Amino acid sequence: MSEILLIAGVVIGVLMIFRTYVNGARCKSKEKLHGKTVIVTGSNTGIGRVTAVDLARRGARVILACRNQTRGQAAVDIVQRESRSKNVAYMELDLASLKSVRSFTETFLKTERRLDILINNAGVYMQGTTEDGFGLMFGVNHLGHFLLTNLLLDRLKECAPSRIVTVSSYLHNHGNLDFDTLRNHKEFGVGESFWNVFRIYSHSKLCNVLFTHELAKRLQGTHVTCYSLHPGAINSDLARNLNKMCRRLLKGIAALFFKDVEAGAQTTLHCAVQEGIEALSGRYFSNCAVQKVKAMAQDDAVAKKLWEVSETLSGLS
């Protein structure tokens, strides 16, 4: 019996160490946000909703910017209950529609006096086409957030010091921006196979990192800072649009090797509230720490070209 208990104790200990490693670092900041306003896109579920709960607990007014009104209003109830704050509101935002992005920002700027933190959290992992004819992953994961951020920049500057946090992914390392493909297909890749979808998603996540890199340059001297990040492999519903076989396969793997949504929100929170990281504007974070990126993710020429192309495609120029 004693040997069995010893073995059981060792197994439990190993599992606890393993889970600690998988879950990674946690945001340690105790910063309060009373009087400040935050927008979190895609916050009706997953790490976005956990992020919203934490920021509401800190005293911020939190705007849940989501596509679906029913789910968004339900999320407001959950965030209010879990944060014990009533200062949480829903506003409709469909990042797959540039018209919706413009409508959201127009309404926000008319009804809200402040914007202190913008969190570009929403993302999709599936093929499709946006209302404006762009590939869904390029349109939602990058272009919609690009337009949203630019339309809100003046308010962020007025409320400086302020921050812009964009959720990317480690998968940006597998991305490659072919502007000829974008011009011909309104997306950085084509195809329906598992590998094609994986690559196209990776391209969109590389856009997030390059967007942040270029944005930081354009924000120098404004006291508005920006950061991109990898939240970790998350056991959330991002893969809800995969076929049934893939979802079943991922379910078992996710239970052991993926972070839960609370752990997955920690680097977002770190970038949003951690004191003393202003000098790291434009950098890429993972596990609540700045990380080095490959040359392609900090290529000045590609980042500038992506910005200029995005300006044209979103109607900003």
Side-chain angles (χ1 to χ4, degrees), residues 173-224:
N173 287 297
H174 300 283
N176 179 39
L177 304 191
D178 184 334
F179 289 96
D180 288 334
T181 300
L182 178 64
R183 183 175 61 253
N184 293 327
H185 300 282
K186 292 192 173 183
E187 177 61 279
F188 278 114
V190 294
E192 299 286 343
S193 71
F194 178 87
W195 178 244
N196 287 331
V197 175
F198 172 85
R199 288 297 303 274
I200 294 168
Y201 179 78
S202 301
H203 301 330
S204 74
K205 295 289 99 180
L206 177 57
C207 287
N208 294 153
V209 179
L210 288 168
F211 164 57
T212 300
H213 178 76
E214 177 67 16
L215 179 61
K217 292 183 176 183
R218 294 170 181 258
L219 290 175
Q220 288 180 2
T222 65
H223 300 290
V224 181

Side-chain angles (χ1 to χ4, degrees), residues 32-201:
K32 296 299 181 182
L33 300 173
H34 298 289
K36 297 189 176 182
T37 298
V38 181
I39 293 173
V40 186
T41 69
S43 43
N44 64 295
T45 188
I47 63 175
R49 192 171 72 197
V50 172
T51 300
V53 169
D54 184 284
L55 298 174
R57 282 178 181 154
R58 295 173 186 267
R61 173 165 173 74
V62 180
I63 306 299
L64 308 187
C66 313
R67 177 176 59 87
N68 185 286
Q69 182 175 3
T70 301
R71 293 176 182 174
Q73 293 290 1
V76 168
D77 294 338
I78 294 170
V79 174
Q80 288 182 343
R81 182 174 67 250
E82 294 186 1
S83 67
R84 297 184 179 181
S85 169
K86 293 296 183 181
N87 205 7
V88 181
Y90 162 77
M91 287 182 61
E92 182 177 345
L93 171 63
D94 183 358
L95 289 159
S97 164
L98 297 179
K99 179 180 178 181
S100 176
V101 174
R102 291 181 181 279
S103 176
F104 170 89
T105 55
E106 182 179 353
T107 301
F108 177 86
L109 293 173
K110 285 180 179 178
T111 58
E112 300 289 335
R113 293 186 305 106
R114 298 193 61 86
L115 179 57
D116 301 271
I117 304 172
L118 170 62
I119 299 182
N120 295 321
N121 166 81
V124 294
Y125 186 103
M126 63 179 292
Q127 282 290 52
T129 306
T130 71
E131 178 180 285
D132 305 283
F134 300 105
L136 191 63
M137 287 184 276
F138 171 70
V140 171
N141 297 354
H142 169 65
L143 194 60
H145 280 128
F146 174 87
L147 179 60
L148 176 71
T149 302
N150 274 280
L151 293 177
L152 294 172
L153 272 183
D154 285 345
R155 182 60 54 85
L156 285 159
K157 291 175 183 177
E158 291 170 7
C159 299
S162 52
R163 296 186 182 186
I164 301 162
V165 180
T166 300
V167 178
S168 180
S169 168
Y170 174 80
L171 295 181
H172 81 269
N173 287 297
H174 300 283
N176 179 39
L177 304 191
D178 184 334
F179 289 96
D180 288 334
T181 300
L182 178 64
R183 183 175 61 253
N184 293 327
H185 300 282
K186 292 192 173 183
E187 177 61 279
F188 278 114
V190 294
E192 299 286 343
S193 71
F194 178 87
W195 178 244
N196 287 331
V197 175
F198 172 85
R199 288 297 303 274
I200 294 168
Y201 179 78

Side-chain angles (χ1 to χ4, degrees), residues 254-292:
L256 279 177
F257 298 104
F258 287 12
K259 295 179 178 181
D260 59 31
V261 289
E262 182 179 355
Q266 296 306 306
T267 303
T268 299
L269 292 168
H270 176 86
C271 291
V273 301
Q274 182 63 47
E275 306 88 337
I277 64 170
E278 290 79 10
L280 298 173
S281 183
R283 302 289 298 277
Y284 170 81
F285 285 71
S286 179
N287 273 328
C288 298
V290 69
Q291 306 290 332
K292 291 183 179 179

